[in-house]
C-alpha cells in the first residue's frame, strides 16, 4: 500500500511537472530521485512564479500584464517590483514567443486575405525596439523593466548594434516582401542611431526596407505625434499603409493608423 | 528512506496543488490519502487546462485570449473548440475576476485623478452584456462561446432579467455616482429588451443612470456605428464623456470614444 501510494504520488508530481515544463519550456528538470529531499525547497521556489499569477504584495502580475496589453494600464514608469521575476520568466521562457506567434499568425492571415493592387504603393509600418529587434539582452541585465529606464546605458547598448531579431516579426517581414508590400521602419530612436540601427537590422537579416524613419535629434513631442505625423507624410506621398505593427500602443494609435494594426506583447516598458 | 521520499513527494505534490488552487481558486481539493490511487487520473485531467497554456490542436489558448484582449484577434465567430475548457476555467475560476479587478482599479485611479467640473454634464458610458451584467449563467450552458451564438435562446435568457451584476463594474458605477459623474448605459440590445434590461439592472443594484440607450428595432449597422453615433449625440447635447467602458473593442472604438476608455475581458464572444 505504501509503495502504491508512493507510485501514485510520483505520477501526480511528474505529471504536474511535465505539464508546467511543457507549457513554459523553462529548464526545470525533475531532480534524480536520490536528490529529491535536498531539491524540494529550491524546486518549489523556482516554480512559484511560473505556475501562479505571480501575485505578490497585492499585484496579480498576469492581470497587470493583460492590463498593459489591452491598454488599460497606461503611463507606468517601471514594472511593479514584485513582478520582476514574473516578467523575467515570461520574457525568457516560451510564453512571450507563444504570444507573439499568435499576433504574427493573425497578421499573416490578414495579408493573405488582401486583394493587393501590386502597384508598389502598398507599405507596412514596423517599429524597431521589441518589434523588429529584441532588447532582451539589455533588459535581462536591468531588471526586465523593474528598474527605472536609463537612456545613457540603453543608448550605449543600441550603439553596439547587437540586438537579435524577433523571429516571429521576421517571418511577417519576409512574407510582406514576398507579396510586394514594402516595409517602412519607423522608430522613436533618434537620427544619431541611424548607422548602428541600420547595421543591426542588416546583420539580423532584415533587408530591402523602403524607408528607415528616425526621430530628428531636436524633435520634442509625443511618440504618437511623431509616428502619426510620419504616417501622414507617407499617405500624402500616395502610399497605402496596409498594416502597422509595434509593441507600444503609441506605435499604432493616432490617425492615420494604417488599415489594420497589430500590438506585439511588451510587459517591460511603456512609451506614451 | 522510502518514508522520507514519500514525505518529500507529498510535499512537492501538496505545494504544487496549493500553488495552483490559490492562483485559480477552483474547487479542486487534495483527496483524502486513502483515495489517492483512484483520484489520480481525474485530478490530473482536471488540472491540465489550469496549469498550462491550454494548448491543444495547435491553439495556445492563453495566447489566443491575449490576442483577443489586445485586439489582434478579430472577427472570430466562436471560441476555438479546443479552448472551451480553458475559457470555462478562466470564466468560472478566479482569473476572470482578477483580470477585471485590475481594469476597474485603473478606472477608479483615473476617476480620482480627474479635476471635475461638477456641473452635471460629466457622464460615463457603460455597456451592458459582460460589462454591467454577466451572462455567464447562459454561456456556461452554451459551451462558453465555443458553440455558435443563438440569438433566439440568448434573447429568451435576456428576457428573464436574471443576469447577475459584475461586481467589479458595480464598484466603479457606485464610485462615479459618489463623485457626481452620471452613468449612461449604452447597449447593443434592442428596444424590445428595454423593460427586462431595466428590471435586471435595478434588481442587481444599479440605479440612478441618466440614460439607458438601446438599439432601435430596425437599426442596421455595425456596433461601432451605433455606439459612436449615440456618443456623438451625447456630446452634441453638451455632455462630456469622461470615461467609457465595455467588454468589446466595438464599445470603445469610433470617435468620440470618450476621454479615456477601458476594455474589460471577454474571451467568450466577439462583436464587430
Amino acid at each position: 500500500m505504501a509503495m502504491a501510494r508512493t507510485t501514485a504520488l510520483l505520477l501526480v508530481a511528474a505529471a504536474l511537472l511535465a505539464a508546467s515544463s511543457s507549457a513554459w519550456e523553462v529548464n526545470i528538470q525533475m531532480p534524480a530521485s536520490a536528490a529529491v529531499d535536498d531539491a524540494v525547497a529550491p524546486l518549489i521556489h523556482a516554480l512559484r512564479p511560473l505556475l501562479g499569477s505571480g501575485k505578490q504584495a497585492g499585484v496579480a502580475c498576469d492581470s497587470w500584464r493583460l492590463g498593459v496589453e489591452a491598454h488599460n494600464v497606461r503611463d507606468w514608469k517601471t514594472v511593479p517590483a514584485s513582478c520582476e521575476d514574473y516578467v523575467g520568466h515570461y520574457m525568457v521562457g516560451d510564453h512571450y514567443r507563444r504570444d507573439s506567434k499568435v499576433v504574427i499568425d493573425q497578421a499573416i492571415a490578414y495579408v493573405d486575405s488582401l486583394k493587393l493592387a501590386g502597384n508598389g504603393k502598398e507599405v507596412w509600418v514596423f517599429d524597431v525596439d521589441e518589434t523588429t529587434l529584441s532588447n532582451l539582452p539589455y533588459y535581462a541585465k536591468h531588471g526586465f523593466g523593474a528598474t527605472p529606464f536609463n537612456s545613457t546605458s540603453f543608448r550605449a547598448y543600441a550603439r553596439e548594434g547587437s540586438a537579435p531579431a524577433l523571429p516571429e516579426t521576421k517571418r511577417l517581414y519576409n512574407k510582406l516582401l514576398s507579396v510586394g508590400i514594402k516595409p517602412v521602419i519607423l522608430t522613436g530612436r533618434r537620427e544619431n542611431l541611424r548607422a548602428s540601427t541600420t547595421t543591426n537590422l542588416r546583420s539580423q537579416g532584415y533587408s530591402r526596407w523602403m524607408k528607415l524613419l528616425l526621430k530628428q535629434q531636436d524633435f520634442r513631442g509625443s511618440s504618437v505625434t511623431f509616428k502619426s505625423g510620419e504616417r501622414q507624410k507617407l499617405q500624402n506621398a500616395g502610399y497605402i499603409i496596409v498594416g502597422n505593427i509595434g509593441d507600444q500602443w503609441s506605435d499604432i494609435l493616432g490617425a492615420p493608423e494604417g488599415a489594420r494594426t497589430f500590438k506585439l506583447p511588451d510587459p517591460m516598458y511603456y512609451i506614451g
Side-chain angles (χ1 to χ4, degrees), chain A:
Chain A
M1 177 59 195
M3 197 55 212
R5 193 181 303 169
T6 306
T7 308
L9 284 163
L10 261 168
L11 282 172
V12 172
L16 290 169
L17 286 165
S20 69
S21 71
S22 72
W24 294 89
E25 291 182 16
V26 176
N27 283 327
I28 296 174
Q29 289 168 358
M30 190 64 183
S33 59
V36 165
D37 285 9
D38 288 346
V40 169
L43 184 67
I44 291 170
H45 175 75
L47 281 168
R48 200 183 301 272
L50 301 182
L51 289 174
S53 63
K55 185 168 181 169
Q56 290 171 28
V59 183
C61 300
D62 61 345
S63 297
W64 174 83
R65 180 173 63 80
L66 180 72
V68 167
E69 296 305 334
H71 210 206
N72 290 310
V73 181
R74 302 183 187 182
D75 301 315
W76 49 281
K77 301 295 180 203
T78 53
V79 168
S82 61
C83 296
E84 178 178 341
D85 275 3
Y86 171 85
V87 170
H89 280 290
Y90 173 81
M91 293 300 297
V92 171
D94 180 54
H95 203 167
Y96 174 50
R97 176 73 183 262
R98 193 168 76 227
D99 286 350
S100 303
K101 181 177 184 301
V102 166
V103 182
I104 300 301
D105 285 349
Q106 294 291 320
I108 288 179
Y110 165 70
V111 173
D112 282 335
S113 78
L114 292 172
K115 304 248 179 290
L116 294 170
N119 57 3
K121 288 293 192 182
E122 292 157 323
V123 301
W124 190 291
V125 176
F126 288 82
D127 171 53
V128 170
D129 296 300
E130 270 51 68
T131 302
T132 50
L133 299 177
S134 168
N135 299 312
L136 195 50
Y138 174 84
Y139 282 98
K141 289 183 191 160
H142 293 81
F144 295 103
T147 52
F149 181 67
N150 181 320
S151 61
T152 309
S153 70
F154 180 76
R155 271 203 304 272
Y157 165 80
R159 229 173 277 122
E160 287 173 16
S162 62
L166 279 161
E168 294 296 334
T169 307
K170 214 166 131 185
R171 186 159 63 93
L172 171 63
Y173 188 97
N174 290 333
K175 168 78 181 184
L176 295 171
L177 287 178
S178 77
V179 298
I181 299 173
K182 295 178 174 173
V184 170
I185 300 177
L186 172 55
T187 173
R189 292 182 175 199
R190 293 183 189 269
E191 282 289 351
N192 62 5
L193 284 173
R194 178 177 287 276
S196 48
T197 302
T198 303
T199 306
N200 198 157
L201 287 166
R202 291 228 169 98
S203 75
Q204 288 297 314
Y206 291 102
S207 64
R208 297 164 53 200
W209 54 80
M210 186 182 89
K211 283 173 190 281
L212 169 60
L213 302 167
L214 299 98
K215 254 191 216 160
Q216 294 299 317
Q217 290 304 123
D218 59 354
F219 181 89
R220 296 285 171 270
S222 72
S223 177
V224 168
T225 304
F226 168 65
K227 294 197 165 184
S228 60
E230 294 299 315
R231 290 193 300 269
Q232 187 64 59
K233 287 182 204 165
L234 286 170
Q235 210 168 275
N236 294 348
Y239 293 103
I240 311 294
I241 304 170
V242 297
N244 177 11
I245 188 165
D247 64 301
Q248 299 289 325
W249 279 96
S250 57
D251 293 331
I252 56 178
L253 289 176
E257 294 87 357
R260 174 120 183 221
T261 60
F262 296 90
K263 166 73 177 73
L264 284 166
D266 185 355
M268 299 193 300
Y269 56 87
Y270 180 90
I271 299 174

